[in-house]
Amino acid sequence: MLFSALVDADFLDTEAFYNQERQEQRAGFPTLSDLAERLRRHMDALSTRVELTAVNRLRRDVLDRCRAAAGEPPGVFSLTVPTGGGKTLAALSFALEHAIRHGMGRVVVAAPFLTIIDQTVAAYRDALGAEPLPFVEHHSGIEPERETARNRLATENWDAPLVVTTQVQLLESLFARRTSQCRKLHNLAGAVIVLDEAQTVRPEFRAPVLDVLRTLVEDYGSTLVLSTATQPELRERRTPDGKALPGFPRVREIAGDEATVQAQFHRMRRVAVERAPTSDWDDVAGMVAAEPRALAITHLRRDARELAGRVQTLRPDEPLFHLSALMCARHRQQVLKFIRQALAAAGPVRVVSTQLVEAGVDLDFPVVFRAMAGFDALIQSAGRCNREGRRVQGRLVVYDAPTRPPVGWLRTGAELAAAEFAGRPDLDLFDPEAYRAFDRKLIASHPTD
């Protein structure tokens, strides 16, 4: 912390001496109070415009709970809300209000994937304004027209009221030892840190990550918000043989007590899970081609290419979209835009993608096909199915891909999930406790010594 403060002060003082104009470009961001007021007006106006469906009632309830919890003392919070429950703006509402009430310096929102960042930034721009951008956007996929001089300078030390970044940038600031990365660290003291899709912190890295986040909370007055539909087991606990596992001594749930959270997930249960006993691409392609509107998700990029080619062969005259992490950010955003336009119109729409769409991407299909994977991936994939609750029931069809997931925790998660399905035909995939039990088994399979 001392090194970060010293290095940043040295950079800024040198800049002020040699280039006053450059230093003046750093100013001009709205205050936290201004951002909170903009967001309140946007959310209140939105609630009067949208149809009062069961999904939108839940979103409003989540927002109200986030606003009410903002007065709680700083510490570690979880926001466990079903997919499609409006976590993006509700978590920001909590973070801004909490920071204002407790005199905290800034809000840092960290998401794991660029697809989630794209959608989060779009939602924030819609709610807070876009010209000039009232927050800092710091990630590798930022579009050139949004990379203004002010934004570029603010990414050096995160000296702004609101920062939207990736988990990679956040963790590099916490663990790296280069001056260019360390100089952001002191601005995380007394900050609200929203860790979006918290389950994506890999099991083998969880111990050091939780340790440094706990230090920020306990020693430097920060607040941590763990926001996800698939809340991992991050409470401090012991194994049956007495070994201490990393975690937080206390995690307060914003969405309510355990019974309330269970009721929310029950109300948002809009998808039925089916197992497809197949491991052949022709069979999977046939199932996808038989559905006028379907999303199919694979483990690997080559699998997505293979499946897309076979579906296109079966339906050569109907639109098929392919998404892959090999796409650059602009191309990926364009394809997602075309998909949303096709979904808004009539006619068949089929998408074959890698797992880049399974979390944080606002798509709504009547049926989703997903290669067998860990519970977190399956639940997140189900969030792209019947997302708005306009159908009586959506379908998540879990199939066995001919290829296996990559070696490591992804493969372990898929094998554990397959065993759970085989042993419990009545398995409730959307029960939060079922996911926590799965997460405990996953962590047990990856020793952290």
Side-chain angles (χ1 to χ4, degrees):
M1 278 291 179
L2 291 173
F3 179 73
S4 172
L6 175 64
V7 167
D8 190 45
D10 185 40
F11 271 103
L12 293 176
D13 282 355
T14 304
E15 178 182 275
F17 182 81
Y18 284 107
N19 194 339
Q20 184 68 35
E21 180 183 356
R22 177 183 168 94
Q23 188 174 66
E24 290 172 353
Q25 290 178 325
R26 294 181 180 273
F29 287 101
T31 64
L32 285 171
S33 297
D34 187 18
L35 292 173
E37 179 58 30
R38 293 186 193 186
L39 184 57
R40 278 193 293 268
R41 289 199 302 265
H42 173 80
M43 298 304 291
D44 291 342
L46 187 64
S47 66
T48 63
R49 296 198 307 266
V50 297
E51 180 185 356
L52 197 60
T53 62
V55 172
N56 286 329
R57 279 195 293 270
L58 175 65
R59 290 170 179 165
R60 184 68 200 193
D61 181 53
V62 170
L63 176 63
D64 290 342
R65 290 179 180 276
C66 284
R67 288 173 170 174
E72 290 279 327
V76 181
F77 294 85
S78 57
L79 180 58
T80 310
V81 178
T83 53
K87 293 186 297 297
T88 300
L89 293 179
L92 181 62
S93 294
F94 169 86
L96 291 173
E97 299 284 355
H98 184 78
I100 292 168
R101 294 192 193 188
H102 298 286
M104 305 175 84
R106 61 192 42 79
V107 172
V108 178
V109 179
F113 309 125
L114 290 178
T115 48
I116 300 178
I117 288 280
D118 291 340
Q119 187 160 298
T120 298
V121 167
Y124 285 6
R125 285 163 62 91
D126 187 42
L128 304 175
E131 298 296 339
L133 196 66
F135 54 87
V136 176
E137 192 178 349
H138 189 189
H139 56 87
S140 62
I142 185 170
E143 296 183 6
E145 58 267 27
R146 299 210 302 268
E147 181 68 310
T148 62
R150 183 183 67 163
N151 189 85
R152 186 165 52 253
L153 290 172
T155 61
E156 294 176 353
N157 61 357
W158 289 355
D159 189 9
L162 176 59
V163 179
V164 183
T165 189
T166 58
Q167 284 185 13
V168 169
Q169 291 288 349
L170 175 65
L171 296 177
E172 283 185 345
S173 302
L174 295 171
F175 289 101
R177 58 178 182 172
R178 293 172 54 194
T179 55
S180 59
Q181 295 165 318
C182 286
R183 64 182 289 200
K184 301 189 289 288
L185 181 58
H186 68 286
N187 280 328
L188 292 174
V192 182
I193 303 169
V194 179
L195 199 62
D196 196 15
E197 304 298 349
Q199 80 283 354
T200 57
V201 177
R202 290 170 54 157
E204 59 265 45
F205 302 143
R206 195 174 287 183
V209 170
L210 295 185
D211 181 62
V212 74
L213 291 174
R214 180 171 173 173
T215 300
L216 280 175
V217 172
E218 295 181 352
D219 297 344
Y220 295 100
S222 300
T223 282
L224 177 66
V225 181
L226 306 164
S227 176
T228 180
T230 48
Q231 198 68 246
E233 185 60 89
L234 298 181
R235 292 169 293 188
E236 199 174 49
R237 65 196 191 283
R238 292 186 176 274
T239 60
D241 60 358
K243 177 186 174 183
L245 294 176
F248 303 106
R250 185 186 181 203
V251 181
R252 284 167 282 173
E253 175 57 56
I254 296 173
D257 59 22
E258 187 172 342
T260 301
V261 172
Q262 289 277 6
Q264 290 174 346
F265 274 79
H266 181 75
R267 286 162 56 193
M268 288 286 281
R269 195 163 298 170
R270 343 186 264 293
V271 178
V273 181
E274 306 172 14
R275 280 287 279 127
T278 180
S279 57
D280 182 84
W281 283 132
D282 284 332
D283 291 342
V284 177
M287 292 189 296
V288 175
E291 300 292 335
R293 294 188 165 208
L295 167 65
I297 302 175
T298 67
H299 292 301
L300 306 173
R301 291 181 294 222
R302 65 174 179 268
D303 289 353
R305 289 196 302 270
E306 176 76 19
L307 182 57
R310 298 192 186 210
V311 174
Q312 189 70 80
T313 299
L314 293 174
R315 298 290 182 179
D317 300 323
E318 297 179 353
L320 175 75
F321 298 94
H322 172 232
L323 284 166
S324 169
L326 287 174
M327 295 175 173
C328 68
R330 176 64 65 87
H331 187 195
R332 184 177 61 247
Q333 291 164 7
Q334 287 177 338
V335 174
L336 285 169
K337 179 181 178 181
F338 294 150
I339 293 171
R340 292 187 179 102
Q341 290 173 344
L343 287 171
V349 184
R350 298 181 185 89
V351 178
V352 178
S353 174
T354 60
Q355 59 263 41
L356 68 87
V357 300
E358 72 184 13
V361 179
D362 190 5
L363 297 175
D364 190 354
F365 285 87
V367 57
V368 172
F369 297 89
R370 180 59 166 96
M372 175 60 77
F375 279 13
D376 53 335
L378 297 180
I379 295 168
Q380 294 291 346
S381 297
R384 309 320 112 197
C385 181
N386 197 19
R387 186 173 180 84
E388 298 298 325
R390 296 191 178 99
R391 306 170 185 87
V392 175
Q393 194 87 67
R395 296 168 56 217
L396 173 67
V397 180
V398 182
Y399 65 91
D400 295 313
T403 57
R404 301 175 71 188
V407 174
W409 64 283
L410 290 176
R411 181 175 295 181
T412 303
E415 291 171 349
L416 284 174
E420 289 290 317
F421 273 102
R424 298 171 57 190
D426 60 342
L427 175 67
D428 183 0
L429 188 63
F430 305 105
D431 181 357
E433 180 51 42
Y435 177 74
R436 284 193 291 270
F438 169 82
D439 185 68
R440 288 191 289 269
K441 291 181 180 179
L442 185 62
I443 292 298
S445 68
H446 283 267
T448 57
D449 291 342

